[in-house]
């Protein structure tokens, strides 16, 4: 494996092997597996879990890591191609990325969507441009449209909990948030659940439909896995028999990149805060999932987040465990 970028680059068998490896490394630690190896971590966007879990994963396998982010005392980094650098930034990403990559044996890069152009973000242009500058194994730590480490951890979390794959109903629901957030988690989560063979339902208000290409890609994955993908605006219909409610806020796709129009659209949607009544016609043990960070009382009520349905903490721990498997595959042997 040279690149961990998109779960759909892998077969279901390969994902199952990675999850089995993650479980093995968690239960039977290999503290010398990556001795002498260095992971370079470039964070162009903020993080808690991804930053900490990659450093912890590398440490548990006997390797080391270093972090570069704009919040450190580094030169300002310019990311725009073809720009005359007569402003504040003294360093261009075209030099920074290969330099950072050359200090390690693998590199992880996080760069959220710029949300200027939906087509550019769907093509993951900024991440792909950086990927071309790297000649060591590369991990996508969240780009405009992918978050494969989150997807692998979420898949493992459902396996750990015995959530059914075939016949399992997975509801991805838009939730209110005061700001327009990227499409990476919802888009890649739909692919993950469809690949797992689940009956995926995407629930969102008008103006927030996931792009057609994302739904079409998920339907293709579902055809191979025996699952299905549907979309609805009807919460009751979506939640009927649900095994998982995965909440996430995302940008308006009807007004992508238009902050004012997006805010106007979402201001009447504050009732899209997950609460107990959402689960009335779901499975009794329907799980609540969220990738975190999550705004309490905005995205989800405390009683759901702190209640027995919530699996957000095992999900977050599985980030580290899943990433140990990815690092092991990329760097050992
Ligand atoms: N879920 C996730 O990626 O968390 P961070 O943004 O804190 O890394």
């Amino acid at each position: 494996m040279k690149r961990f970028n998109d779960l759909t680059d892998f077969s279901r068998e390969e994902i199952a092997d990675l999850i089995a490896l993650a479980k093995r490394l968690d239960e039977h630690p290999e503290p010398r597996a990556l001795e002498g190896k260095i992971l370079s971590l470039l964070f162009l966007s903020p993080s808690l879990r991804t930053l900490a879990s990659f450093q912890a994963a590398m440490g548990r396998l006997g390797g080391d890591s270093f972090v570069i982010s704009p919040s450190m005392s580094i030169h300002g980094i310019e990311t725009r191609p073809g720009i005359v650098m007569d402003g504040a930034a003294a360093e261009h990403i075209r030099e920074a990325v290969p330099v950072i990559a050359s200090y390690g044996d693998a590199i992880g890069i996080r760069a959220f969507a710029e949300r200027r152009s939906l087509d550019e973000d769907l093509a993951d242009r900024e991440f792909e441009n950086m990927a071309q500058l790297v000649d060591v194994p590369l991990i996508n730590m969240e780009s405009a449209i992918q978050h494969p480490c989150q997807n692998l951890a979420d898949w493992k979390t459902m396996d750990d909990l015995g959530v059914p794959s075939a016949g399992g109903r997975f509801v991805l629901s838009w939730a209110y948030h005061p700001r327009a957030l990227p499409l990476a988690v919802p888009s890649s989560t739909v692919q993950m659940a469809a690949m797992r063979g689940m009956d995926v339902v995407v629930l969102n208000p008008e103006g927030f439909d996931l792009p057609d290409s994302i739904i079409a890609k998920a339907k293709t994955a579902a055809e191979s896995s025996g699952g299905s993908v549907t979309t609805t605006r009807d919460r009751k219909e979506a939640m009927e028999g649900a095994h998982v409610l995965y909440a996430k806020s995302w940008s308006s796709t009807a007004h992508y990149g238009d902050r004012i129009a997006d805010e106007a659209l979402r201001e009447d949607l504050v009732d899209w805060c997950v609460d107990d009544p959402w689960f009335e016609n779901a499975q009794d043990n329907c799980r609540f999932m969220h990738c975190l960070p999550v705004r309490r009382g905005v995205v989800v009520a405390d009683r759901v987040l702190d209640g027995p349905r919530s699996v957000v903490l095992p999900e977050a721990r599985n980030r580290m465990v899943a990433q140990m498997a990815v690092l092991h595959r990329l760097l050992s042997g």
Side-chain angles (χ1 to χ4, degrees):
M1 189 161 87
K2 289 290 285 178
R3 188 167 149 153
F4 191 67
N5 177 54
D6 178 345
L7 224 55
T8 63
D9 292 341
F10 301 91
S11 66
R12 274 164 60 92
E13 291 69 30
E14 288 169 326
I15 301 289
D17 282 351
L18 268 176
I19 290 175
L21 176 59
K23 196 167 157 52
R24 193 187 89 208
L25 292 170
D26 196 21
E27 291 171 359
H28 305 284
E30 292 187 17
R32 304 187 68 173
L34 299 187
E35 205 166 44
K37 303 286 186 186
I38 303 282
L39 175 65
S40 318
L41 295 167
L42 173 59
F43 281 90
L44 296 172
S45 308
S47 169
L48 184 154
R49 276 142 294 274
T50 308
L51 174 59
S53 60
F54 264 109
Q55 291 184 297
M58 207 56 194
R60 281 174 185 266
L61 293 170
D64 211 339
S65 58
F66 69 90
V67 177
I68 297 293
S69 83
S71 62
M72 297 169 140
S73 178
I74 61 170
H75 307 288
I77 296 182
E78 177 62 66
T79 57
R80 291 169 293 178
I83 195 94
V84 175
M85 291 174 57
D86 56 0
E91 177 127 54
H92 200 280
I93 201 80
R94 287 187 64 82
E95 287 76 52
V97 165
V99 166
I100 294 165
S102 74
Y103 298 149
D105 301 285
I107 184 169
I109 300 179
R110 168 169 280 202
F112 289 171
E114 295 183 329
R115 289 204 304 279
R116 282 199 280 265
S117 153
L118 182 56
D119 287 343
E120 293 278 301
D121 287 346
L122 287 171
D124 231 352
R125 193 78 66 209
E126 189 187 8
F127 189 84
E128 290 301 327
N129 285 344
M130 286 191 276
Q132 285 172 14
L133 305 169
V134 166
D135 59 5
V136 293
L138 171 67
I139 302 169
N140 183 325
M141 300 197 300
E142 188 174 341
S143 61
I145 210 67
Q146 296 293 346
H147 199 353
C149 300
Q150 186 67 51
N151 306 145
L152 187 63
D154 289 340
W155 187 320
K156 180 178 182 300
T157 303
M158 288 192 280
D159 286 1
D160 292 349
L161 295 166
V163 174
S165 46
R169 190 169 173 91
F170 184 98
V171 179
L172 170 73
S173 178
W174 187 88
Y176 177 75
H177 190 285
R179 290 174 44 218
L181 297 182
L183 292 171
V185 169
S187 298
S188 58
T189 298
V190 168
Q191 312 305 329
M192 177 276 295
M195 272 185 83
R196 193 171 178 267
M198 303 183 80
D199 294 320
V200 182
V201 183
V202 182
L203 168 66
N204 58 269
E206 197 170 343
F208 294 88
D209 294 345
L210 288 182
D212 291 345
S213 61
I214 295 297
I215 297 296
K217 185 177 173 185
K219 284 185 173 173
T220 302
E223 275 166 24
S224 308
S225 68
S228 64
V229 179
T230 55
T231 59
T232 182
R233 306 205 193 293
D234 184 331
R235 187 176 303 155
K236 202 164 177 170
E237 176 197 317
M239 289 300 294
E240 180 76 47
H243 293 85
V244 171
L245 171 60
Y246 196 112
K248 188 73 185 82
S249 190
W250 61 84
S251 303
S252 164
T253 42
H255 301 290
Y256 198 76
D258 182 342
R259 187 176 57 81
I260 306 290
D262 183 302
E263 280 175 8
L265 199 56
R266 70 178 58 226
E267 68 184 8
D268 291 333
L269 299 171
V270 289
D271 60 331
W272 284 69
C273 174
V274 177
D275 204 346
D276 277 347
W278 286 47
F279 296 90
E280 267 166 11
N281 59 344
Q283 300 286 335
D284 287 344
N285 66 346
C286 179
R287 310 290 185 166
F288 173 77
M289 298 182 75
H290 191 285
C291 63
L292 303 181
V294 69
R295 290 188 183 228
R296 286 174 171 264
V298 175
V299 171
V300 57
D302 282 4
R303 59 182 173 176
V304 173
L305 194 56
D306 297 330
R309 298 185 185 287
S310 176
V311 297
V312 299
L313 298 183
E315 264 186 281
R317 184 175 186 278
N318 267 329
R319 288 293 307 277
M320 177 187 73
V321 179
Q323 288 155 203
M324 282 199 289
V326 172
L327 291 166
H328 200 283
R329 276 287 149 75
L330 287 172
L331 288 172
S332 72

